[in-house]
Amino acid sequence: MERATRKGSAASGLSITAKITIWYTLFLMIVAAVLSFVLFRLYDEKIQSAAENKLVRVVDEVGDLITDDGDDFILDRRISYYHKDTYISVYEMDEELVTGRRPRGIDVFPPLSSEEIQVTRDSQGSEWYIYDNIINVEGKDMYIRGMLNNIADDDKFSFTISLAAALIPIILIIAAIGGYAITRGAFAPVRETIKATKEITRDGDLSRRIPQGKSRDEIYELSTAFNDMFDRVEELVKREKQFTADVSHELRTPLAIIRAQSEYAMEDESYAPDAVGVINRESRRMSSLIGNLLLIARSDSGRMVPDNKELKVSELLEGLAEIKRSNAEDKGLSLETDIEDGINMETDEDMLARIVVNLLDNAIKYDNKKGGLIRLSARTEESKLTIRVSDDGEGIRPEDREKIWERFYRSDAARTHEESSGIGLSIVKVLSKALGGNAELRSDEESELGGATFEVTLPYARKAEENTQ
């Protein structure tokens, strides 16, 4: 049992190159054997047919000579009783031999018959073809028999078999060696891929890539797919490291404040009320930050599924604007709306509300223009809902336009706001994608109020009753 298991493991341990070489070598051997059998069979039938035709033709020729000569055919020297490798003999109808020659070594001759060609063998095992024909000589029927041994063609046949037996193994060996070399060369990129992958795994160097060949074949596509995967893994690892560092940094500050305030309160009881307020504020800040981090983690793991329900979007947006209007007024800003009436759609209310609130909070924080204006607008087209939040502030610097969507990224202006964690716009991006849409910053030329204009587009299906109005 153990020996059988070892044999099985040894067979399964063969390389793909060896398996392919063994398989097509065996296949070639089977094809060569079948082809050789068919060719030899056809060749044998061809030899037999040629010998039979030759025998019939010789017997007919000699029969014509005998018929022409009549009773004197026995004395006619023109008649050769060994003609073109064929033994000729003449018999009475009662099978009595009249004249002619018969080959030695044949002990028993088959009976005379003009119906078909007969076959017999001599003492050496050689095959003889026998053809009998009835001729009429001066009104008397007689048999003329021809006997032909195809020994010359048998020699050719034997030579052909010997040649094939010698050449077929040589051809198979050459094919096996050539096939192995070609297959090994074809799988060289695979070995390079395995080597590079093992080195990356061993060294942990995700910046390395698998070398690619020049031919654009399936192996090239495989190495490209691996490299794309390594690009993705490297990016995820970098983002994970950055994410961990940013989280540690963001949580360190409120934790340090809470610890310091609690220590001050323990040392000075009169400071306790003030410390409680600061601790409460920082704990709420930490709670909000942790909630946002959990939201991003669910998005990264693909577990963020919207709970779509029928929603009156116009009313929701107006309500959110009303709630945030007081925050804007506290900074001396005006918040106006330009929302299309009667927008109804199936979507996740919490996700949509959070998108709009984050964009409004972002505009209120960073619009420092005295008497500035913020506008919330919403419009529907044939297949999409467009929500815009615009302000008339200083806008976004060109070098920050792509970075603002990164997690924990804060521009110099954002760093002056202690309450800013730098993930508000990241959440807008994540939630917009979860709802099947997209969020982007419009260009300066497309800004409605001269500052920053953020646009969120979501899929929108207009209802039948709206189309009939």
Side-chain angles (χ1 to χ4, degrees):
M1 182 67 180
E2 182 180 356
R3 187 174 300 173
T5 304
R6 290 179 179 177
K7 289 183 179 179
S9 61
S12 61
L14 292 175
S15 65
I16 296 178
T17 303
K19 290 179 180 178
I20 293 177
T21 304
I22 293 172
W23 186 89
Y24 73 68
T25 302
L26 292 175
F27 178 76
L28 284 176
M29 290 176 63
I30 294 172
V31 171
V34 172
L35 184 60
S36 299
F37 174 79
V38 172
L39 290 176
F40 294 158
R41 185 68 178 175
L42 292 175
Y43 187 60
D44 186 40
E45 291 179 356
K46 182 179 178 181
I47 290 175
Q48 181 178 352
S49 177
E52 291 176 352
N53 292 334
K54 177 181 178 181
L55 176 61
V56 171
R57 186 173 60 254
V58 171
V59 170
D60 290 342
E61 289 178 0
V62 176
D64 292 339
L65 290 175
I66 294 175
T67 303
D68 291 340
D69 288 343
D71 292 334
D72 298 330
F73 70 89
I74 298 176
L75 304 176
D76 195 333
R77 295 183 178 181
R78 293 183 306 156
I79 300 174
S80 175
Y81 293 99
Y82 182 74
H83 184 63
K84 297 181 179 179
D85 302 325
T86 303
Y87 288 87
I88 302 296
S89 55
V90 181
Y91 294 83
E92 297 282 357
M93 295 302 292
D94 58 359
E95 299 190 7
E96 182 72 23
L97 177 63
V98 177
T99 186
R101 300 180 60 183
R102 294 187 298 186
R104 296 179 180 179
I106 299 179
D107 298 329
V108 179
F109 293 93
L112 296 168
S113 174
S114 61
E115 295 180 356
E116 59 182 0
I117 294 177
Q118 302 180 78
V119 180
T120 189
R121 293 183 180 276
D122 59 18
S123 58
Q124 302 296 324
S126 297
E127 196 172 61
W128 290 81
Y129 299 107
I130 301 174
Y131 173 64
D132 301 323
N133 189 23
I134 298 176
I135 58 176
N136 186 276
V137 181
E138 297 295 334
K140 183 181 180 181
D141 289 336
M142 306 183 74
Y143 272 106
I144 180 172
R145 165 169 283 187
M147 301 183 68
L148 173 64
N149 176 227
N150 198 23
I151 188 171
D153 288 334
D154 282 345
D155 291 341
K156 294 179 182 178
F157 185 67
S158 300
F159 174 76
T160 304
I161 293 177
S162 301
L163 182 62
L167 289 179
I168 288 178
I170 296 175
I171 294 173
L172 288 175
I173 293 173
I174 294 174
I177 295 174
Y180 180 82
I182 294 173
T183 307
R184 183 175 176 81
F187 278 95
V190 176
R191 292 192 296 275
E192 291 294 329
T193 299
I194 296 173
K195 179 182 177 182
T197 304
K198 288 182 177 180
E199 291 176 352
I200 293 173
T201 303
R202 183 189 66 228
D203 302 335
D205 184 7
L206 295 177
S207 63
R208 292 191 57 183
R209 294 297 176 265
I210 296 172
Q212 295 176 298
K214 296 181 180 179
S215 58
R216 305 262 175 165
D217 52 12
E218 291 82 359
I219 298 179
Y220 179 90
E221 294 179 1
L222 176 64
S223 59
T224 301
F226 270 114
N227 287 336
D228 291 342
M229 181 187 68
F230 284 129
D231 289 340
R232 177 63 175 164
V233 171
E234 183 182 16
E235 179 64 24
L236 289 175
V237 171
K238 287 182 179 179
R239 289 178 60 181
E240 185 70 22
K241 290 181 179 179
Q242 185 63 41
F243 182 78
T244 303
D246 291 336
V247 168
S248 300
H249 179 269
E250 293 296 329
L251 292 179
R252 186 182 299 115
T253 301
L255 284 174
I257 295 174
I258 290 174
R259 181 177 180 180
Q261 292 296 316
S262 62
E263 290 177 352
Y264 292 158
M266 292 173 63
E267 295 175 359
D268 185 0
E269 294 183 0
S270 62
Y271 183 72
D274 295 333
V276 169
V278 175
I279 291 173
N280 180 265
R281 183 194 67 200
E282 293 301 321
S283 63
R284 283 188 286 107
R285 180 183 172 190
M286 285 183 60
S287 177
S288 175
L289 177 60
I290 292 173
N292 290 333
L293 294 177
L294 291 175
L295 179 66
I296 293 175
R298 287 203 308 272
S299 173
D300 290 343
S301 63
R303 293 184 288 109
M304 183 179 292
V305 180
D307 182 15
N308 292 334
K309 296 179 181 179
E310 185 67 25
L311 179 64
K312 295 180 179 180
V313 177
S314 299
E315 295 182 7
L316 174 66
L317 297 183
E318 290 287 358
L320 294 175
E322 185 63 30
I323 294 173
K324 289 297 177 181
R325 187 168 283 115
S326 59
N327 298 99
E329 291 174 352
D330 290 342
K331 284 194 61 177
L333 303 174
S334 298
L335 174 57
E336 67 176 28
T337 59
D338 181 15
I339 300 172
E340 180 182 324
D341 293 333
I343 302 177
N344 300 318
M345 60 184 290
E346 288 190 358
T347 188
D348 189 303
E349 181 177 1
D350 293 337
M351 289 186 180
L352 181 58
R354 193 159 189 176
I355 290 172
V356 176
V357 168
N358 280 10
L359 291 177
L360 290 175
D361 285 342
N362 185 76
I364 293 171
K365 285 179 184 178
Y366 304 123
D367 189 348
N368 297 317
K369 184 177 180 180
K370 187 176 181 180
L373 176 64
I374 297 174
R375 179 183 297 156
L376 170 62
S377 62
R379 289 285 182 274
T380 60
E381 298 180 9
E382 291 184 359
S383 60
K384 68 178 181 179
L385 166 66
T386 302
I387 301 174
R388 287 186 176 184
V389 175
S390 305
D391 62 65
D392 60 354
E394 297 179 358
I396 309 295
R397 297 184 305 177
E399 59 269 25
D400 294 330
R401 294 184 67 87
E402 295 297 328
K403 298 178 181 179
I404 58 174
W405 304 106
E406 298 177 3
R407 300 167 189 177
F408 299 107
Y409 177 78
R410 290 183 292 180
S411 63
D412 293 338
R415 297 181 192 279
T416 61
H417 295 271
E418 295 181 357
E419 296 182 358
S420 174
S421 62
I423 60 176
L425 292 178
S426 299
I427 292 176
V428 170
K429 196 79 169 179
V430 166
L431 294 177
S432 299
K433 184 178 179 181
L435 293 177
N438 186 39
E440 60 181 341
L441 174 65
R442 307 303 299 179
S443 63
D444 294 338
E445 294 77 11
E446 297 173 312
S447 176
E448 295 182 358
L449 300 179
T453 296
F454 289 90
E455 179 179 282
V456 175
T457 57
L458 301 175
Y460 175 75
R462 191 177 298 275
K463 295 187 176 299
E465 57 268 21
E466 295 180 12
N467 295 331
T468 58
Q469 293 179 355

